[in-house]
């Protein structure tokens, strides 16, 4: 929420400065870009936790719930594995940015520190996906995972 506020405040400052003074404030654009990056990658694990991400499920409508659950589990584990791979590859790139620091043009901060949210967000997203299955398994509500989304389709 803070990152969204920072982003909106920076954009409002930018618009106001251009409207009043005829030219913008370079640091507001850069800070709003970094705030947007943090907003996206900090919110993605929360979206994964609540199963609120975009998912195409029409192909499973004719399957019985147990088969839907099996396919959902397989695709979610593939998703979690892909997230870990992306986190690893992004960490490789970012660690290079720590070895040879690149300063941002206007704020003069090391970009690698800002970009560390990317691998962190992907790892946390994978943990939230797995956590969702563990919690539902312990509660005995795994099957509700696929029944809820198909009840919403009929509404």
């Amino acid at each position: 929420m803070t990152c969204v506020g920072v982003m909106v405040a920076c954009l409002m400052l930018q618009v106001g400065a251009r409207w009043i003074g005829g030219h913008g404030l370079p640091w507001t654009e850069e800070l709003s870009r970094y705030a947007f990056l943090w907003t996206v990658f900090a919110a993605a694990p929360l979206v994964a936790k609540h199963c609120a991400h975009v998912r195409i499920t029409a192909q499973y409508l004719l399957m019985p719930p147990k088969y839907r659950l099996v396919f959902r589990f397989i695709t979610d584990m593939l998703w979690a594995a892909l997230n870990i791979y992306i986190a690893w590859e992004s960490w490789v790139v970012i660690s290079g940015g720590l070895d040879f620091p690149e300063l941002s043009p206007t704020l003069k901060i090391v970009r690698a520190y800002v970009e560390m949210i990317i691998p962190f967000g992907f790892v946390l997203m994978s943990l939230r996906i797995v956590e969702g299955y563990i919690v539902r398994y312990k509660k005995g509500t795994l099957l509700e995972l696929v029944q809820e989304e198909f009840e919403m389709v009929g509404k």
Side-chain angles (χ1 to χ4, degrees):
M1 194 67 164
T2 303
C3 290
V4 173
V6 168
M7 183 175 58
V8 170
C10 285
L11 293 174
M12 287 174 58
L13 276 171
Q14 180 77 305
V15 169
R18 286 183 187 272
W19 187 62
I20 294 169
H23 59 281
L25 305 168
W27 64 269
T28 59
E29 185 177 334
E30 190 171 296
L31 184 58
S32 67
R33 199 172 335 128
Y34 292 156
F36 179 73
L37 182 74
W38 272 72
T39 300
V40 169
F41 285 100
L46 183 64
V47 171
K49 177 182 181 180
H50 294 289
C51 298
H53 49 275
V54 176
R55 179 187 298 268
I56 299 171
T57 56
Q59 68 271 27
Y60 303 126
L61 285 174
L62 299 176
M63 292 182 181
K66 288 185 181 182
Y67 289 120
R68 283 187 236 154
L69 182 61
V70 169
F71 280 106
R72 167 100 182 237
F73 178 77
I74 291 169
T75 56
D76 281 350
M77 291 307 111
L78 285 171
W79 177 27
L82 181 65
N83 286 345
I84 297 298
Y85 174 74
I86 292 171
W88 175 259
E89 290 298 322
S90 62
W91 176 251
V92 169
V93 172
I94 291 168
S95 63
L98 291 172
D99 293 338
F100 304 100
E102 178 184 347
L103 296 179
S104 64
T106 58
L107 295 175
K108 304 296 184 209
I109 56 176
V110 177
R111 287 186 48 186
Y113 293 135
V114 174
E115 294 165 352
M116 281 185 185
I117 190 65
I118 298 169
F120 179 73
F122 277 107
V123 168
L124 193 55
M125 205 177 344
S126 292
L127 292 174
R128 292 299 192 181
I129 293 166
V130 173
E131 175 193 36
Y133 279 97
I134 292 171
V135 167
R136 287 183 180 271
Y137 177 77
K138 286 182 178 180
K139 286 183 181 178
T141 60
L142 259 179
L143 208 50
E144 290 176 11
L145 189 64
V146 292
Q147 289 173 335
E148 291 171 358
E149 65 188 23
F150 291 101
E151 290 171 3
M152 291 188 324
V153 170
K155 291 182 179 179

